[in-house]
Amino acid sequence: MLAVFKKEFRAYFTSPIAYVMISLFLLLSSIVFYINLASPTAEYNYLNLSYMSLFLILIIPILTMKILADERKSGTEVLLRTSPTSLTKIIIGKYLAAFSVFMVMTVITFVYPVLLKIFGNPDIPEIVGGYVGYILLGASFIAFGLFSSSLTESQIVAAIISVVGLLIMWLLQGIAPNLGGIWADILNWFSLYSRTEDLFAGILSLKAIVYYLSFSAVFVFLAIRVIEKRRWSKG
């Protein structure tokens, strides 16, 4: 798994994708930070991290679109299915590589709260809680992007599936409250953004943390199952 992780992580930085996406993300987040400088520092999570989370709807699908789709298109997916390394370890290695690129972007943004600390008096525990929620949200996005990439051999189609799916999950936070009964419960389960509220308020909600970890695990598992199903169908 470590070998797969290293190979995939290096691959991101031997092509322009990682550099372009990181640069675009930092440009957008820096603009938002600059605009919101006049706001109270306590609003950092709700202003900066909220907008940064929305930017991920575009950034993450582009980072993950080729993880598995490219393997299928190039015909190397068969090597995944016949490799001495278990398929689960290969997929997890690919997932962790994408997550590490996301963390590179995230760590760079730590400069924003540092600047707030130098020139003001921000609520650091609240910001830490906000970043925990933001990182867990990103991990969930990457898992969904990985799953989307497993469904097709086209990187573009994989990216579209991922963007549309993440947009729907974002919209669910406004739709679910208007419904009642089991449908509201089902929609709430897929509403990724609604669970950031406590974390962005600096409250480390165990329920929210478990949810995001479970969501990520479920979609990584589904990606593995999609590839395994193709192995058996072609076997």
Side-chain angles (χ1 to χ4, degrees):
M1 184 171 70
L2 182 60
V4 174
F5 165 76
K6 290 180 178 179
K7 174 179 174 294
E8 294 294 326
F9 185 72
R10 283 197 301 267
Y12 275 110
F13 292 96
T14 55
S15 70
I17 292 179
Y19 297 104
V20 171
M21 289 299 98
I22 290 174
S23 299
L24 176 62
F25 175 78
L26 292 176
L27 173 63
L28 293 173
S29 60
S30 295
I31 291 173
V32 171
F33 178 70
Y34 178 78
I35 292 173
N36 292 330
L37 276 179
S39 300
T41 55
E43 294 298 314
Y44 177 83
N45 290 354
Y46 291 102
L47 295 175
N48 291 81
L49 291 183
S50 292
Y51 276 104
M52 285 163 57
S53 299
L54 289 177
F55 298 153
L56 294 182
I57 292 178
L58 173 64
I59 301 295
I60 295 299
I62 295 176
L63 284 178
T64 59
M65 65 183 183
K66 66 177 293 183
I67 292 183
L68 296 172
D70 196 49
E71 300 277 4
R72 187 178 179 186
K73 183 177 181 180
S74 63
T76 56
E77 186 182 77
V78 65
L79 300 178
L80 297 182
R81 302 195 297 260
T82 58
S83 171
T85 304
S86 72
L87 180 61
T88 298
K89 289 182 178 180
I90 293 174
I91 300 302
I92 292 176
K94 288 175 172 288
Y95 171 80
L96 292 176
F99 179 74
S100 296
V101 175
F102 162 69
M103 283 304 300
V104 169
M105 294 191 303
T106 300
V107 168
I108 296 174
T109 68
F110 289 174
V111 70
Y112 304 145
V114 169
L115 290 173
L116 291 178
K117 181 63 177 176
I118 292 173
F119 298 105
N121 187 32
D123 187 338
I124 297 300
E126 182 178 16
I127 292 176
V128 170
Y131 266 107
V132 169
Y134 173 76
I135 291 170
L136 290 171
L137 185 66
S140 300
F141 281 14
I142 293 168
F144 185 77
L146 177 75
F147 169 70
S148 300
S149 185
S150 72
L151 299 175
T152 177
E153 65 179 28
S154 169
Q155 296 182 31
I156 302 301
V157 172
I160 292 173
I161 292 172
S162 188
V163 169
V164 171
L166 294 177
L167 276 172
I168 291 173
M169 291 179 201
W170 174 56
L171 294 172
L172 288 180
Q173 65 179 336
I175 298 173
N178 296 320
L179 301 175
I182 189 172
W183 288 109
D185 294 335
I186 293 173
L187 293 182
N188 274 323
W189 194 88
F190 285 98
S191 179
L192 289 171
Y193 282 94
S194 63
R195 289 169 174 81
T196 61
E197 293 178 0
D198 285 345
L199 295 169
F200 279 11
I203 302 170
L204 294 179
S205 167
L206 180 60
K207 184 178 179 180
I209 293 172
V210 170
Y211 168 81
Y212 285 121
L213 293 177
S214 300
F215 185 98
S216 299
V218 166
F219 277 96
V220 170
F221 171 76
L222 289 176
I224 295 170
R225 292 297 298 157
V226 167
I227 295 178
E228 285 183 338
K229 183 178 179 182
R230 282 202 292 268
R231 174 173 64 181
W232 292 115
S233 65
K234 293 182 179 180

